[in-house]
Amino acid sequence: MKIKAVGFDIDGTLYSNLSMYISSSASFIGHPLLVFHFSKIRKEIRRTEHNGDFRETQAKLLAYSMKIPQQKAADLIERYLYQKWEYSFKGVKPFKGVRPGLLSLKREGIKLAALSDFPVQRTLDFLGLSDLMDFAFSSEETGYLKPHSAPFINLVSKFGVSPDEILYVGNNYKYDILGAKNTGLRTAHLTRKPEPESKADFSFYSFLDLRDWILTLNN
């Protein structure tokens, strides 16, 4: 069956995590406790079901973890972990081959989208890739983070094709590959070292190799 649509994770998939860490190190170094507690509560959110507004739940958990008022927690997240962090992408470039690879897929009539666990549009703008995406959204908008099925179900709905006609591309095996696979999508794992007995349909480290694999599969 042909691949009619491809969804991409962003962080660590379309660009190097190392380049982001270098570019945003000043923000992180200035707020190490915030980064530590935020990372901890995001892992908790992934593990458990929750009710209500995602941002509210996130702020409540951070407030409890840092022992600060909930509104202060919400303000810290917005200011330092969304707004300031997003602007650090001004100095980050996509992986080599990303733009030409995506352009080739667009020319073949394949729909493209981005699905990340963080706010996406400004990041795509700074990476110079927003014009190639048919749509983009954060898993937060569904109320859950990957590997929960909700973000992937929303991706399927937006593409408007069956799950097995969609390829999801990511660098995190647990969150991206298994999350998408468990929702019925095909998957491509960006990695230098494929997982033993990987469930990914394709493992790669060059976006031009990914492009060639998709085009060969479709022809």
Side-chain angles (χ1 to χ4, degrees), residues 12 26 28 35 38 51 54 63 76 87 92 143-144 153 163 184 188 207 209 213:
F28 289 169
V35 173
F38 183 74
N51 296 313
F54 178 89
L76 287 172
Y87 276 104
V92 175
Y144 297 93
I153 291 171
F207 271 83
D209 288 345
W213 179 76

Side-chain angles (χ1 to χ4, degrees), residues 168-184:
Y168 188 71
V169 182
N171 69 307
N172 187 294
Y173 186 74
K174 180 180 179 181
Y175 300 154
D176 297 324
I177 304 308
L178 295 185
K181 201 70 173 175
N182 290 337
T183 317

Side-chain angles (χ1 to χ4, degrees), residues 4-212:
K4 295 182 179 180
V6 183
F8 294 91
D9 171 55
I10 298 178
D11 306 311
T13 297
L14 297 181
Y15 68 89
S16 165
N17 272 332
L18 177 60
S19 64
M20 184 275 290
Y21 293 147
I22 293 171
S23 181
S24 61
S25 60
S27 299
F28 289 169
I29 290 171
H31 305 278
L33 284 178
L34 173 60
V35 173
F36 170 78
H37 286 281
F38 183 74
S39 298
K40 184 176 74 172
I41 64 106
R42 294 279 283 201
K43 290 178 181 177
E44 183 178 343
I45 289 173
R46 292 185 199 278
R47 290 194 300 265
T48 59
E49 293 287 335
H50 58 87
N51 296 313
D53 180 82
F54 178 89
R55 294 285 182 96
E56 182 181 356
T57 298
Q58 181 171 259
K60 282 181 180 178
L61 290 172
L62 184 65
Y64 180 80
S65 184
M66 294 186 71
K67 297 179 174 54
I68 59 175
Q70 183 176 326
Q71 186 56 53
K72 182 176 181 180
D75 291 343
L76 287 172
I77 292 170
E78 182 62 30
R79 181 177 179 183
Y80 294 108
L81 297 173
Y82 287 155
Q83 295 180 6
K84 196 169 183 179
W85 180 70
E86 276 190 308
Y87 276 104
S88 69
F89 282 92
K90 285 185 176 181
V92 175
K93 302 296 182 184
F95 278 124
K96 182 180 179 180
V98 167
R99 187 170 180 87
L102 270 59
L103 276 169
S104 297
L105 299 180
K106 290 286 285 187
R107 293 191 189 106
E108 293 296 316
I110 296 173
K111 296 179 180 179
L112 305 178
L115 162 59
S116 173
D117 277 339
F118 286 95
V120 296
Q121 194 56 56
R122 193 171 291 157
T123 302
L124 290 172
D125 290 343
F126 289 147
L127 292 172
L129 299 173
S130 56
D131 61 311
L132 300 181
M133 301 297 177
D134 291 280
F135 60 89
F137 69 98
S138 167
S139 60
E140 291 183 357
E141 297 171 34
T142 71
Y144 297 93
L145 300 177
K146 296 177 292 184
H148 196 280
S149 63
F152 298 107
I153 291 171
N154 193 43
L155 183 70
V156 173
S157 176
K158 286 178 176 291
F159 271 136
V161 299
S162 65
D164 57 0
E165 294 174 317
I166 299 171
L167 179 74
Y168 188 71
V169 182
N171 69 307
N172 187 294
Y173 186 74
K174 180 180 179 181
Y175 300 154
D176 297 324
I177 304 308
L178 295 185
K181 201 70 173 175
N182 290 337
T183 317
L185 282 68
R186 286 190 270 182
T187 57
H189 186 199
L190 173 68
T191 179
R192 290 185 182 275
K193 186 178 180 181
E195 294 285 326
E197 301 181 3
S198 175
K199 292 186 178 182
D201 295 276
F202 185 61
S203 295
F204 71 101
Y205 201 71
S206 163
F207 271 83
L208 298 183
D209 288 345
L210 174 66
R211 174 201 64 187
D212 293 345

